[in-house]
Amino acid sequence: MIQAAQVTVRYGQLVAVDHVDLSVAQGEVVGVVGPNGAGKTTLLECIEGLRRPDSGQITVDGLHPQSDRAAMALRAGVQLQHTAFPPRTTVEDICKLFAGFYPKGAGYAELLERFGLSEHRRQLVVKLSGGQQQRLSLALALLGEPKVVFLDELTTGLDPAARRVIWEELRQRNEAGLTILLTSHHMDEIEFLCDHVAVLVKGQIMARGTPAQLVASHSRESLEISGDHGSVRPALEAISGVQLTTTGKRLLVQLDDPALRAKVDEILARHESAAVRPLNPSLEDAYLNLTGEQAHVL
Amino acid sequence: MFFDVVAFETKRMLRNFPSLFFGLAFPVMVLAIFGGIYGNEPSDFWDGRGTVDMSVPAYVGLVVAVAGLMSFPLGMVEYRSRGFLRRLKATPARPGLFLAAQVIVNAVISVLGVGLLVGVGVVAFDLHAPAHPLAFAGIALLSAAAMFGLGMVIASLASTEQTALVIANLVYFPMIFLTGATVPLALMPDAMRAISDALPLSYAVEALQWAWVGGGESITVALYVLGGTVAVSAAIAAWLFRWE
């Protein structure tokens, strides 16, 4: 469905997207993750046809995003990172407007119902909360019954219940054949929705695979020590390949190599006051390792 | 699709109090004030013409100026600065449709504004019929084209809504007082006359008054200035205007 080859975008000296290859099969859900400024939005904009890459080839459903703009716009729904609505317009006005753009756009009432916006139909869009605007933006992306949707920061700013609703909605549509390319900062979202993940750092893809593959190959063995960890700390610090991060009253111990576990256990056995809990490897660990970002100290 | 866009713009216009006020109510208010003070008796200020006969065509200039210089560019900048035009690029709609719809909606407001003005003039102040109705319509159209052209330049220069509002106000409000629309040019000292001569709306007012009351003086220069304004502003806007 989506083929991007060697896509490169430069802003002056900065290479925002650096020879990126990305392919998304029909009916697949692919997530692009990465730190802020990694080039996720720029890459998405190239695929959406909103930006011309400096080099590289992109096709979406066989179409060129820029030269076949009109045909592509009928097949692709877009949610931009920043929801952008004009003033003095209501939810219903803007839905009617978008419904006029698409041959299959008439069913927006049902979308509003599902996204919990029905009771806000007559409200001015600028008066909606951030989360409501986000949901409206998603409804507009889906309104033309597209074959593929591009969702930039899908559920940023939404409460947990609203996120669930959106995930379920997208999963249903995906099961009906919708192809989805999304970016997100939420690893739970990626794990729930995505068949494949690409990790973008400084414009380059550092890793790709299924969420399970990334967890298996990139998350480190971790332990959490609560209680009195002050006395253990120096001994653990002395082992190379062990990373320590204090989070609140707990100490997070991450092992670069599973073989270090024996050494660590030996030290911990001598400090009985420290309570140890092994942590399940998660996509978030894998992500933090891949992107070289440290867990934020709370 | 275009019908949906026009419908959308129409609803937005109906909620746009400043545009409705300055396009429909404000000119009638000014007419009511000056007409109420001076009536439509022949006046020395106006070369022996009635104040209302001279004011109504001049306020027609104000109506097209507020639509072209304020409502229209502000609408475009609202769309662009909020990224809505960018969002539209990802739909089957062309952003040009929205520009066209804005022109149409503002043109309709202008026509209604002119109708109200003339209606109130006739009913309340014995406004006389125009001497050259067709020429008046043509000049009104040309004046509107000049104002919308300048509005497009404002929309090209202003990157934020605040800037657009400031530029539009800076351009529009002096024109109310300095173009002969409200204060007779004959009363102005040379310095103010010079400023007035530099404003395109002054020529619109002059030509509109000529078409309404008839008269000996030539409006050739005024027509050239208005035509030139259309051409130059179109060229500048084509060069500078950005959708994003």
Side-chain angles (χ1 to χ4, degrees), chain A residues 207-221:
Chain A
R208 61 177 98 217
T210 64
Q213 283 168 344
L214 290 185
V215 171
S217 51
H218 296 282
S219 75
R220 290 178 293 188
E221 190 158 359

Side-chain angles (χ1 to χ4, degrees), chain A residues 159-210:
Chain A
D159 62 58
R163 293 175 71 202
R164 282 283 160 183
V165 169
I166 283 173
W167 292 356
E168 293 297 343
E169 187 64 30
L170 287 175
R171 181 161 264 184
Q172 274 178 31
R173 284 168 188 268
N174 172 246
E175 278 161 13
L178 179 68
T179 306
I180 303 174
L181 178 60
L182 60 89
T183 73
S184 179
H185 286 298
H186 302 292
M187 295 306 135
D188 52 347
E189 183 160 288
I190 296 287
E191 279 187 293
F192 187 92
L193 285 172
C194 294
D195 302 312
H196 284 94
V197 191
V199 183
L200 197 66
V201 180
K202 291 183 180 155
Q204 294 180 325
I205 293 197
M206 300 286 289
R208 61 177 98 217
T210 64

Side-chain angles (χ1 to χ4, degrees), chain B residues 149-202:
Chain B
L150 289 173
M152 201 63 199
V153 172
I154 294 174
S156 309
L157 293 175
S159 55
T160 67
E161 289 168 43
Q162 285 78 5
T163 328
L165 193 62
V166 168
I167 299 178
N169 279 314
L170 279 176
V171 174
Y172 174 69
F173 281 100
M175 285 196 188
I176 299 179
F177 303 107
L178 297 176
T179 56
T182 52
V183 181
L185 294 177
L187 293 180
M188 292 186 190
D190 289 348
M192 298 314 275
R193 260 319 267 274
I195 297 174
S196 174
D197 286 346
L199 300 174
L201 189 63
S202 302

Side-chain angles (χ1 to χ4, degrees), chain A residues 19 24 71 114 123 138 146 162 233 247 262 279 287:
Chain A
H19 297 89
V24 181
R114 292 210 189 176
Q123 206 168 329
L138 186 65
R233 199 177 170 124
T247 58
L279 296 177
Y287 170 81

Side-chain angles (χ1 to χ4, degrees), chain B residues 21-36:
Chain B
F21 176 76
F22 283 105
L24 301 176
F26 181 70
V28 172
M29 254 174 59
V30 180
L31 175 66
I33 293 167
F34 284 95

Side-chain angles (χ1 to χ4, degrees), chain A:
Chain A
M1 177 59 79
I2 301 168
Q3 293 293 336
Q6 297 293 299
V7 174
T8 302
V9 179
R10 290 185 189 85
Y11 298 123
Q13 290 292 308
L14 179 80
V15 185
V17 177
D18 193 356
H19 297 89
V20 166
D21 294 318
L22 188 73
S23 79
V24 181
Q26 157 75 40
E28 200 172 32
V29 184
V30 171
V32 179
V33 298
N36 289 326
K40 302 184 297 292
T41 295
T42 304
L43 174 64
L44 223 59
E45 285 175 343
C46 291
I47 299 173
E48 290 159 352
L50 296 179
R51 181 184 296 281
R52 186 182 291 281
D54 292 300
S55 61
Q57 283 83 44
I58 300 170
T59 60
V60 176
D61 201 17
L63 299 169
H64 186 276
Q66 287 207 310
S67 46
D68 304 321
R69 196 192 76 95
M72 165 135 162
L74 286 173
R75 299 176 204 199
V78 170
Q79 179 195 32
L80 298 180
Q81 186 177 351
H82 300 288
T83 46
F85 299 107
R88 302 188 304 282
T89 186
T90 65
V91 170
E92 186 148 44
D93 289 347
I94 203 150
C95 286
K96 274 189 187 156
L97 174 74
F98 273 65
F101 295 162
Y102 301 98
K104 294 186 231 166
Y108 66 82
E110 196 191 331
L111 271 170
L112 292 183
E113 179 73 47
R114 292 210 189 176
F115 289 143
L117 291 168
S118 281
E119 63 270 37
H120 304 291
R121 290 166 81 109
R122 295 197 172 75
Q123 206 168 329
L124 290 176
V125 175
V126 289
K127 297 253 170 84
L128 295 177
S129 72
Q132 289 165 338
Q133 291 195 2
Q134 184 86 346
R135 281 180 272 153
L136 176 59
S137 166
L138 186 65
L140 294 178
L142 296 170
L143 183 143
E145 296 191 12
K147 292 171 78 174
V148 53
V149 284
F150 305 106
L151 309 171
D152 200 354
E153 298 207 359
L154 175 59
T155 61
T156 299
L158 292 186
D159 62 58
R163 293 175 71 202
R164 282 283 160 183
V165 169
I166 283 173
W167 292 356
E168 293 297 343
E169 187 64 30
L170 287 175
R171 181 161 264 184
Q172 274 178 31
R173 284 168 188 268
N174 172 246
E175 278 161 13
L178 179 68
T179 306
I180 303 174
L181 178 60
L182 60 89
T183 73
S184 179
H185 286 298
H186 302 292
M187 295 306 135
D188 52 347
E189 183 160 288
I190 296 287
E191 279 187 293
F192 187 92
L193 285 172
C194 294
D195 302 312
H196 284 94
V197 191
V199 183
L200 197 66
V201 180
K202 291 183 180 155
Q204 294 180 325
I205 293 197
M206 300 286 289
R208 61 177 98 217
T210 64
Q213 283 168 344
L214 290 185
V215 171
S217 51
H218 296 282
S219 75
R220 290 178 293 188
E221 190 158 359
S222 325
L223 306 167
E224 189 185 76
I225 303 175
S226 49
D228 172 29
H229 56 66
S231 55
V232 211
R233 199 177 170 124
L236 291 174
E237 265 169 351
I239 311 173
S240 77
V242 172
Q243 261 79 49
L244 302 177
T245 316
T246 316
T247 58
K249 287 182 175 163
R250 292 182 293 271
L251 181 68
L252 180 69
V253 183
Q254 287 177 304
L255 312 179
D256 286 352
D257 182 348
L260 294 168
R261 179 68 190 266
K263 254 188 198 174
V264 170
D265 283 345
E266 194 182 313
I267 293 166
L268 291 174
R270 280 184 262 133
H271 294 81
E272 282 173 3
S273 59
V276 181
R277 181 167 74 96
L279 296 177
N280 290 327
S282 71
L283 186 59
E284 191 136 334
D285 297 329
Y287 170 81
L288 291 173
N289 284 328
L290 277 162
T291 57
E293 291 189 322
Q294 291 299 312
H296 294 292
V297 175
L298 296 173

Side-chain angles (χ1 to χ4, degrees), chain B residues 27-98:
Chain B
V28 172
M29 254 174 59
V30 180
L31 175 66
I33 293 167
F34 284 95
I37 295 171
Y38 298 109
N40 201 17
E41 299 308 313
S43 157
D44 289 343
F45 286 150
W46 300 108
D47 242 356
R49 322 239 179 230
T51 300
V52 170
D53 284 342
M54 290 297 275
S55 297
V56 166
Y59 299 166
V60 167
L62 286 187
V63 170
V64 296
V66 83
L69 296 174
M70 296 186 80
S71 304
F72 168 61
L74 284 173
M76 289 312 291
V77 173
E78 267 171 7
Y79 276 161
R80 186 183 49 210
S81 66
R82 292 174 194 233
F84 187 62
L85 289 177
R86 186 170 179 73
R87 175 67 185 85
L88 289 173
K89 264 184 86 178
T91 73
R94 299 213 158 269
L97 289 181
F98 282 77

